[in-house]
Amino acid sequence: QVQLVESGGGLVQPGGSLRLSCAASKSISINSMAWYRQAPGKERELVASISNVGGITVYADSVKGRFAISRDNAKNTVYLQMNSLKPEDTAVYYCNKWSGSMFIWGQGTQVTVSS
């Protein structure tokens, strides 16, 4: 089973940037991957996805134009570059497959946007 380890979160002021990383323990090259987030008291939501072929990306409307998902299959890693962060981006961020039977969820990485 693939294990996922998210990192790169932290406390940032509004308008700031962070780059999240998701390292997988095995190859994920055949999988379309995604970043999700869960804010306190809310359900987990899909933030961005990237296909396994062609690297096609799709974003939630709330982050379009501010976030960028990418992947490095040689490193079994998926990234999320987050710019122009807003307080409403505060959440725990997770990566996993975009669809199908999910990998075991990692611990996530906390992103807090606050002045």
Side-chain angles (χ1 to χ4, degrees), residues 12-70:
V12 63
Q13 293 186 343
S17 298
L18 284 173
R19 188 193 194 206
L20 307 184
S21 298
C22 170
S25 60
K26 299 179 181 180
S27 176
I28 53 172
S29 62
I30 65 170
N31 302 111
S32 292
M33 297 295 291
W35 281 95
Y36 303 81
R37 67 185 181 188
Q38 187 167 20
K42 295 186 177 182
E43 293 188 354
R44 189 174 292 166
E45 63 172 346
L46 177 66
V47 174
S49 64
I50 183 165
S51 66
N52 58 327
V53 178
I56 298 169
T57 58
V58 179
Y59 298 94
D61 287 343
S62 58
V63 306
K64 202 172 293 183
R66 299 189 297 122
F67 289 12
I69 186 172
S70 60

Side-chain angles (χ1 to χ4, degrees), residues 66-78:
R66 299 189 297 122
F67 289 12
I69 186 172
S70 60
R71 64 191 299 162
D72 186 337
N73 288 334
K75 296 182 178 180
N76 299 333
T77 301
V78 181

